[in-house]
Amino acid sequence: MPSLGVNIDHVATIRQARRTVEPDPVAAAVLAELAGADGITVHLREDRRHIQDRDLRILRQTVRTHLNLEMAATDEMVALALEIKPDYITLVPENRQEVTTEGGVDILSQQQRLKDLVQTLQGAEIPVSLFIDADQAQIEAAAQIEAQFIELHTGPYAEAQLGRPQAEALNHLHQACQGAISLGLRVNAGHGLTYWNVHPVACLAGMEELNIGHTIISRAVLVGLERAVREMKAAISGQLHRI
Ligand code: PXP
C-alpha cells in the first residue's frame, strides 16, 4: 500500500483566518505523525495565504518522517528550498486567484527551464516531483527533464460521477501510472482524495505516496486529528468500513 503524506495547509488556513497563533501546523504535524502519517506535506504559496515561512523552518526541524514542500517553480521558492532542504519538493502551478491548485504543471511549455530547476534541486540532493495531469505527453516530458517523481493529479477522478465515469478516470490513472513507471519515474498521487474514494487509487500498482489534506483536516475538526489520520490509513488499505 502507498504511504500517506498528510497535507496540513488547512490547519494554517484556520490560523490565518484570524492571523493569530492557533492552531499551530507544527503541533498538527506532530499529532499526525504520532497517528501514523508517513510524511508531512505543506504548500508555501507565493501569497502566503496559509503556510508561513516560520512554519516551514520549524517543521524542517521537528518533522520526524519526511517533509514534502509543494511550491511554484519560482526563483524565490528554489532559493528557499535550497536553504531549508525538505526531503523532497513537489512543483505545482500557482495562480493567485485559485481557491486550490487547479491543474497540473505544463512541463511542455517550459521544458528547458524546468530541466535546469530539477538539475539545481536534485544536484543539491532534493528529489523533485512534478504535479501533473495523467497525460502521456506530460509524463514523457517529466522523464525527459529527469525528475525523480511525478504526482498524478487525481482531481478528475475525484470529481467524476460514480459508476462508469469514475471507473474510466481510474483506468486513466492506472495507464498513466504504468506509463510513468516504465519510463523510470516514481509515482505519487493526490488532490481531492477522500475517505470514500481513496482505496482504488491506493491499489494502483506501483503507487508510492498519496498526498491528502482537505478531507483529513475536515474530519479532524469533528473527531480530532489523530483519529482522522488513523482512519485515513485504514481507508487507504481498504479497512475502513464505516465512518
Ligand atoms: N497534491 C497537491 C499537488 C496539492 O496541491 C494538493 C492541495 O494542496 C494536494 C495534493 C492535496 O489535495 P486535497 O487537499 O484535496 O487532499
Side-chain angles (χ1 to χ4, degrees):
M1 281 291 140
S3 59
L4 168 63
V6 176
N7 181 315
I8 55 171
D9 290 350
H10 292 315
V11 176
T13 300
I14 298 172
R15 178 190 61 193
Q16 295 312 111
R18 286 291 178 91
R19 303 208 191 294
T20 175
V21 294
E22 63 176 2
D24 192 335
V26 175
V30 172
L31 290 175
E33 287 185 323
L34 287 173
D38 304 293
I40 299 296
T41 297
V42 291
H43 183 177
L44 185 67
R45 296 185 73 105
E46 191 191 5
D47 62 11
R48 307 299 198 267
R49 73 171 69 154
H50 38 54
I51 293 292
Q52 306 295 307
D53 297 53
R54 164 267 183 207
D55 303 328
L56 181 63
R57 288 177 197 285
I58 300 178
L59 286 166
R60 174 60 299 179
Q61 294 172 39
T62 55
V63 166
R64 290 282 166 263
T65 53
H66 58 256
L67 180 64
N68 168 24
L69 172 62
E70 291 179 4
M71 57 177 235
T74 63
D75 293 345
E76 182 205 4
M77 287 300 157
V78 171
L80 202 59
L82 290 171
E83 183 202 331
I84 304 282
K85 287 199 182 284
D87 295 294
Y88 72 95
I89 68 117
T90 303
L91 290 179
V92 296
E94 221 172 87
N95 166 1
R96 274 181 181 253
Q97 313 307 325
E98 68 195 358
V99 175
T100 181
T101 312
E102 282 171 357
V105 174
D106 180 10
I107 306 176
L108 294 164
S109 66
Q110 42 181 341
Q111 204 154 335
Q112 189 56 50
R113 201 173 76 77
L114 290 180
K115 185 170 184 170
D116 295 344
L117 197 151
V118 167
Q119 227 167 39
T120 302
L121 289 164
Q122 292 190 167
E125 293 179 0
I126 305 170
V128 176
S129 177
L130 288 133
F131 180 61
I132 57 172
D133 295 332
D135 175 270
Q136 186 59 22
Q138 298 291 348
I139 291 167
E140 284 170 15
Q144 272 165 18
I145 65 170
E146 294 173 10
Q148 287 188 32
F149 290 86
I150 57 167
E151 178 174 326
L152 289 173
H153 189 347
T154 49
Y157 160 79
E159 284 162 21
Q161 276 187 346
L162 292 182
R164 200 163 157 176
Q166 195 184 48
E168 281 171 5
L170 182 66
N171 187 42
H172 202 62
L173 288 171
H174 166 71
Q175 304 292 343
C177 186
Q178 292 316 302
I181 290 170
S182 72
L183 292 171
L185 290 158
R186 298 173 66 180
V187 182
N188 301 331
H191 211 283
L193 295 175
T194 67
Y195 292 91
W196 303 277
N197 68 19
V198 72
H199 183 57
V201 177
C203 289
L204 295 176
M207 185 60 70
E208 292 202 31
E209 180 154 281
L210 301 176
N211 283 307
I212 306 177
H214 188 266
T215 199
I216 296 176
I217 304 307
S218 302
R219 184 142 178 84
V221 170
L222 303 180
V223 304
L225 185 56
E226 289 177 270
R227 180 169 154 192
V229 171
R230 277 199 300 272
E231 287 175 345
M232 181 52 78
K233 291 285 287 186
I236 286 173
S237 54
Q239 279 158 11
L240 186 71
H241 302 302
R242 204 178 314 141
I243 187 164

